[in-house]
């Protein structure tokens, strides 16, 4: 279950990164990135934000994977929303 407060916090944390990706790409290519290009560019940031896979033993493995999966799901959901906002704001 994703709580809106979780998504709101992530949105605050990553909104600048999403904006920067669009700015940099637009300056370099004079167009917006495709969805695939944006996701490829955002992927490394997402990995840094989610953090490393710290599962060290079998007992904690399932619990740690569940937490990591939830964090990954939230960040990509928010990134998709921010991506859509940027596309709308930058539409000519």
């Amino acid at each position: 279950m994703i709580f809106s407060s979780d998504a709101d916090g992530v949105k605050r944390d990553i909104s600048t990164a999403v904006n920067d990706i669009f700015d940099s790409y637009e300056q370099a290519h004079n167009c917006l990135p495709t969805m695939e290009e944006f996701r490829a560019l955002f992927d490394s940031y997402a990995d840094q934000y989610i953090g490393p896979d710290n599962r060290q033993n079998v007992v904690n493995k399932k619990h740690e994977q569940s937490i990591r999966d939830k964090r990954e799901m939230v960040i990509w959901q928010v990134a998709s929303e921010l991506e859509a906002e940027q596309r709308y704001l930058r539409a000519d």
Side-chain angles (χ1 to χ4, degrees):
M1 171 182 240
I2 299 173
F3 298 104
S4 66
S5 62
D6 292 343
D8 291 343
V10 171
K11 192 172 196 173
R12 280 190 305 274
D13 291 347
I14 69 169
S15 63
T16 301
V18 171
N19 188 55
D20 290 349
I21 288 170
F22 272 85
D23 284 346
S24 297
Y25 193 92
E26 200 168 16
Q27 287 175 2
H29 302 283
N30 202 25
C31 64
L32 297 179
T34 64
M35 290 174 70
E36 293 81 12
E37 290 166 333
F38 169 78
R39 292 192 176 126
L41 294 166
F42 185 77
D43 190 52
S44 65
Y45 183 83
D47 287 344
Q48 291 173 11
Y49 188 85
I50 293 166
D53 188 358
N54 289 331
R55 294 173 286 166
Q56 296 180 358
N57 62 43
V58 176
V59 174
N60 290 328
K61 187 175 185 176
K62 193 170 192 173
H63 177 69
E64 291 292 325
Q65 184 63 40
S66 174
I67 291 170
R68 189 168 175 13
D69 289 349
K70 180 184 176 213
R71 291 172 70 189
E72 186 173 11
M73 185 173 66
V74 171
I75 194 171
W76 281 105
Q77 176 186 356
V78 171
S80 294
E81 291 172 13
L82 290 169
E83 176 188 12
E85 287 176 16
Q86 285 297 314
R87 290 189 188 286
Y88 176 78
L89 293 172
R90 294 167 189 261
D92 290 331

